[in-house]
Amino acid sequence: MKSKLLKFFFIFSLCFSFPVLAQEKLVLPNPIDHSAFSQILKKYISKIGLVDYRSLKRDKEALAVLNGYCEDLSKIDIFVLEPVQERMAALLNLYNALVLREVLKFYPVQNTSQIPHFFEEARYALAGFEKKMSLLDIENLFHERFNDPRHNLARVNASIAGPIFLQEAFNSKNLEKQLEEVTARFINDPSKVSYDARRNVVGTSPLFLWFEEDFKRYSMSLRGFLSSRIPVNLSTKVEFGGYDWRLNDTVYR
């Protein structure tokens, strides 16, 4: 059975005798249907954004849907989509789905360091790019092509200290609301961001240090980005803490 993601395209191709099956690069009309990914997230993501890997690993039907979703979305030239919200939603979903699928291949593991070259290996053939890409390559596309640092708080890296999954896929219609939700949940998690009013110090995840240039381009400074969400000012000292790379698995919470 053809996935919902490509259903329209195949019907269109049959009507107009266009040889799409021989092509690697598929371009679909907007908006893209991400409901297949949403169904997996709704079933296997906890309320606090962690993954029930054990149950998902046993669900062969869900694994097949996840694999089909990744393959279908990889064949769409994301960067020809309009508007920009459609591009960002698609790339966020693709990245997060690939991370989820890759972890499941090796599960049970305790963190991604147990998976050989998890971020660095060029495993993924994406439409619009001649060479296979790694997760790091895809991450760099966010830095290069989107002037919105909130993608750093929406792009899941499979660590318990990192961004969390929502129980739904990103979509262009609700992207602003969804980005604000993941941002608020990240900043309001005291294990990731904490404010000591007495000392006027905000302790933050090193993720803000790693991607500081993105936040600077968007808000002139990291403090500027944080100030709209927590009570920091120019005199507030920012300290970066450690990072827990344990897997974002429900067994840890």
Side-chain angles (χ1 to χ4, degrees), residues 65-132:
V65 170
L66 177 62
N67 186 64
Y69 176 77
C70 290
E71 294 304 312
D72 289 348
L73 197 51
S74 296
K75 294 175 182 177
I76 298 170
D77 190 343
I78 288 174
F79 289 102
V80 304
L81 299 174
E82 294 291 347
V84 64
Q85 290 86 354
E86 186 73 17
R87 298 196 294 275
M88 182 181 283
L91 196 62
L92 281 171
N93 288 331
L94 177 58
Y95 185 94
N96 289 349
L98 289 173
V99 166
L100 185 59
R101 185 180 71 170
E102 204 64 32
V103 170
L104 286 164
K105 289 179 183 178
F106 293 88
Y107 191 80
V109 291
Q110 294 179 328
N111 57 65
T112 56
S113 68
Q114 295 175 305
I115 301 174
H117 310 291
F118 181 78
F119 292 104
E120 299 87 3
E121 185 174 335
R123 302 180 178 94
Y124 313 109
L126 305 188
F129 298 90
E130 294 182 359
K131 297 181 180 179
K132 286 188 176 181

Side-chain angles (χ1 to χ4, degrees), residues 19 21 50 62 95 107 151 186 189 198 214 245-246 249:
L21 296 179
L50 301 180
Y95 185 94
Y107 191 80
H151 65 71
F186 192 95
D189 183 340
R198 183 182 61 83
D214 287 346
W245 279 102
R246 285 181 302 162
D249 195 330

Side-chain angles (χ1 to χ4, degrees), residues 113-215:
S113 68
Q114 295 175 305
I115 301 174
H117 310 291
F118 181 78
F119 292 104
E120 299 87 3
E121 185 174 335
R123 302 180 178 94
Y124 313 109
L126 305 188
F129 298 90
E130 294 182 359
K131 297 181 180 179
K132 286 188 176 181
M133 305 188 75
S134 67
L135 288 173
L136 276 178
D137 293 329
I138 300 173
E139 177 188 306
N140 286 332
L141 293 176
F142 287 95
H143 304 312
E144 295 168 359
R145 305 199 185 195
F146 297 110
N147 185 28
D148 187 335
R150 293 175 298 177
H151 65 71
N152 294 305
L153 308 179
R155 200 177 57 252
V156 179
N157 63 11
S159 72
I160 203 167
I164 64 167
F165 280 106
L166 295 178
Q167 291 180 309
E168 63 178 358
F170 292 102
N171 65 83
S172 57
K173 182 179 179 180
N174 299 317
L175 185 61
E176 177 64 25
K177 179 181 177 181
Q178 292 173 314
L179 289 175
E180 276 303 301
E181 180 178 351
V182 293
T183 298
R185 290 177 70 174
F186 192 95
I187 290 177
N188 292 320
D189 183 340
S191 70
K192 297 171 182 176
V193 178
S194 60
Y195 178 64
D196 185 337
R198 183 182 61 83
R199 298 171 55 224
N200 194 26
V201 172
V202 59
T204 73
S205 164
L207 183 147
F208 287 106
L209 177 62
W210 301 338
F211 306 124
E212 187 172 11
E213 290 305 313
D214 287 346
F215 292 98

Side-chain angles (χ1 to χ4, degrees), residues 50-66:
L50 301 180
V51 186
D52 183 356
Y53 285 104
R54 285 185 295 184
S55 298
L56 179 51
K57 179 84 171 184
R58 292 194 293 263
D59 189 338
K60 302 304 181 185
E61 182 177 350
L63 292 178
V65 170
L66 177 62

